[in-house]
Amino acid sequence: MISFVPFFQTCGRLATSVCARLEPNAPARRWTGGTLLMLGLSLAPLANATLAPDQADTFINGSGASKTKNFGGNESLQVSPTTSTLIRFDLSTLPAGTTAADVEKATALLWVNTVNAGGNIMVQPVTSAWSELGVTYNTQPGVGAPLPAITIPAVYQYLVIDVTAVVKAWLTTPGTNNGLELVAVGSTSLQLDSKENNGNTPTLDITLFNDGAAGPPGPTGSTGATGGTGAVGPAGATGATGATGPTGPTGATGAIGPAGLTGATGATGAMGAAGAGLNAGSIGGLVSLCSQSVAHTLVYIPGRSFVSYTGADGSFLLDYVPPGTYSVIVETPGNHTQTLSGVLVASGSTTDTGTTTLADLLSDPQNCGACGNSCGKAACSNGVCTTTCPTGQTLCAGSCVNTATDAFNCGACGNTCAGTSCFGGVCAAPTCNDGRKNGAETDTDCGGGTCFSCALGNSCLVNSDCTSNVCSASHVCQ
């Protein structure tokens, strides 16, 4: 099954706290090395969700001189009549000993940043090795049978690919994970964010089964009584005494007596005690965004593998949550984010968070002070429409922004920093000492393979992100 989800913001669920500023109707940008989540799917109760990061990606071009060129460093992955995309995921983030039988679902997530011509694409497993910075059209690897052709989504949406069977095959036969190839059908032409892009890095989300522990065996039943010995058969007749001479032949053996009766069946042993059930509860509620759709809104517990998405009616459910007190984050496209603090979970029950309204009634010019109250070209400040912004902010397209740090209005309204950050009103590339978490960093000014390794307690994706060389399953340096 291959589908897509609407454009939205993600703030690094699981162990990372990555927040990026996303403007409505603009490409999503976030500075993370590749932590994405399970998107747009109607999830069954989540057991163990593991994110396999993008290990290598590129595209090959069959046009003229491009057949010998490598495009492994490009920020976009191209799929068109003359180009196809190669991508491979790192499965080392799975728990040690994971087998195909442990995998409940595996989903590849790719962000569509450009659509030149709509249509269908095919996805097929790669059957031979290739390298990101070496492969060309002339040296392209072999591929296996394709998955069913699918229709691509509109721009700024996620392409979601069900690759459960392919991932199980990789786990069954280690060493066969050579990734996937995306091929255009007909005139289809689109571009996807690569791991070199500062946008939404390709990610493979793998959900594992989680069963309760088995109960101890019951005691052995007692042995049944031994049956009685059967009666001895009659002796044969004695022959007549002959003259002294050779000994006569031995008489025939008498018939075997009938078998004794079967002893009574022993009593059935007592039933063993039942195994202990899961010590867990759940969190549910509704999400409201004034008159806008709330379907596919992200709901998660930061730092934990508990994630859900709202249905068409705005409802959500986080299941199998251990007892305790949690903060729950609700977020949707357009910087609408809210944290529900102090949510108490008890074993065997569902905690209802009620209705959560995400619209920022204090600053949203389309819902200023109340849902549906539009300020037109004016700004919304403290729930009141005004043409005057607070000190240090400038009115740009109906919103009050800080032009010293806003990447979409850097130094002046409409001046967008493409692929860079805004510092002091000037667009500048991220560095490893700017005091911000950006670029490929997994935490502030560390990790991601571009900066120094992170200290204990910082966020990470792989072991090499940590000075201790140990990145836990919850993506924290230990």
Side-chain angles (χ1 to χ4, degrees), residues 56-78 83-88 129-141 194-196:
D57 58 30
T58 185
F59 66 91
I60 55 177
N61 192 329
S63 298
S66 295
K67 290 182 178 181
T68 61
K69 293 183 178 180
N70 173 266
F71 302 92
N74 281 42
E75 294 185 352
S76 289
L77 304 172
Q78 298 183 13
T83 61
S84 61
T85 283
L86 295 170
I87 184 168
R88 182 172 65 247
W130 55 277
S131 67
E132 181 181 46
L133 300 179
V135 68
T136 67
Y137 179 88
N138 287 344
T139 64
Q140 61 182 289
S194 74
K195 67 182 178 63
E196 285 76 18

Side-chain angles (χ1 to χ4, degrees), residues 58-445:
T58 185
F59 66 91
I60 55 177
N61 192 329
S63 298
S66 295
K67 290 182 178 181
T68 61
K69 293 183 178 180
N70 173 266
F71 302 92
N74 281 42
E75 294 185 352
S76 289
L77 304 172
Q78 298 183 13
V79 182
S80 72
T82 60
T83 61
S84 61
T85 283
L86 295 170
I87 184 168
R88 182 172 65 247
F89 298 98
D90 181 7
L91 302 185
S92 66
T93 56
L94 286 170
T98 299
T99 67
D102 298 324
V103 177
E104 181 179 13
K105 192 170 186 65
T107 308
L109 302 142
L110 303 105
W111 180 255
V112 180
N113 64 45
T114 302
V115 174
N116 299 313
N120 297 332
I121 65 170
M122 290 191 304
V123 179
Q124 45 199 8
V126 179
T127 58
S128 59
W130 55 277
S131 67
E132 181 181 46
L133 300 179
V135 68
T136 67
Y137 179 88
N138 287 344
T139 64
Q140 61 182 289
V143 294
L147 302 177
I150 52 96
T151 302
I152 65 171
V155 69
Y156 305 146
Q157 296 183 7
Y158 276 99
L159 179 64
V160 180
I161 310 172
D162 185 344
V163 292
T164 305
V166 177
V167 172
K168 286 188 174 186
W170 290 341
L171 291 173
T172 300
T173 309
T176 60
N177 175 17
N178 293 302
L180 306 169
E181 182 178 32
L182 278 63
V183 181
V185 176
S187 61
T188 303
S189 178
L190 70 155
Q191 296 186 33
L192 309 162
D193 278 5
S194 74
K195 67 182 178 63
E196 285 76 18
N197 195 304
N198 288 323
N200 296 305
T201 303
T203 299
L204 177 63
D205 190 310
I206 304 174
T207 299
L208 306 179
F209 289 104
N210 184 10
D211 297 323
T220 303
S222 58
T223 303
T226 302
T229 303
V232 177
T238 302
T241 302
T244 303
T247 303
T250 303
T253 302
I256 297 174
L261 298 175
T262 302
T265 302
T268 302
M271 182 178 294
L278 290 176
N279 182 23
S282 57
I283 302 173
L286 292 171
V287 177
S288 170
L289 189 59
C290 291
S291 61
Q292 300 182 36
S293 171
V294 292
H296 305 302
T297 293
L298 171 65
V299 183
Y300 66 95
I301 298 175
R304 303 294 295 270
S305 298
F306 300 105
V307 183
S308 182
Y309 302 87
T310 58
D313 61 350
S315 64
F316 70 88
L317 181 67
L318 295 170
D319 214 343
Y320 295 134
V321 181
T325 302
Y326 300 90
S327 291
V328 178
I329 295 180
V330 182
E331 58 185 60
T332 197
N335 280 338
H336 297 301
T337 302
Q338 186 166 331
T339 299
L340 309 179
S341 301
V343 179
L344 180 63
V345 176
S347 180
S349 64
T350 298
T351 301
D352 187 356
T353 61
T355 299
T356 302
T357 301
L358 291 181
D360 187 354
L361 303 181
L362 296 178
S363 62
D364 187 349
Q366 302 303 318
N367 301 282
C368 190
C371 289
N373 183 30
S374 175
C375 294
K377 294 183 178 181
C380 180
S381 178
N382 294 321
V384 178
C385 293
T386 177
T387 56
T388 302
C389 290
T391 301
Q393 295 188 357
T394 302
L395 180 63
C396 292
S399 297
C400 290
V401 299
N402 185 349
T403 57
T405 59
D406 192 322
F408 297 95
N409 300 279
C410 189
C413 292
N415 183 31
T416 300
C417 296
T420 61
S421 299
C422 183
F423 300 100
V426 177
C427 293
T431 67
C432 293
N433 57 4
D434 55 18
R436 296 169 179 262
K437 180 181 178 182
N438 47 28
E441 299 167 357
T442 60
D443 214 310
T444 304
D445 293 339

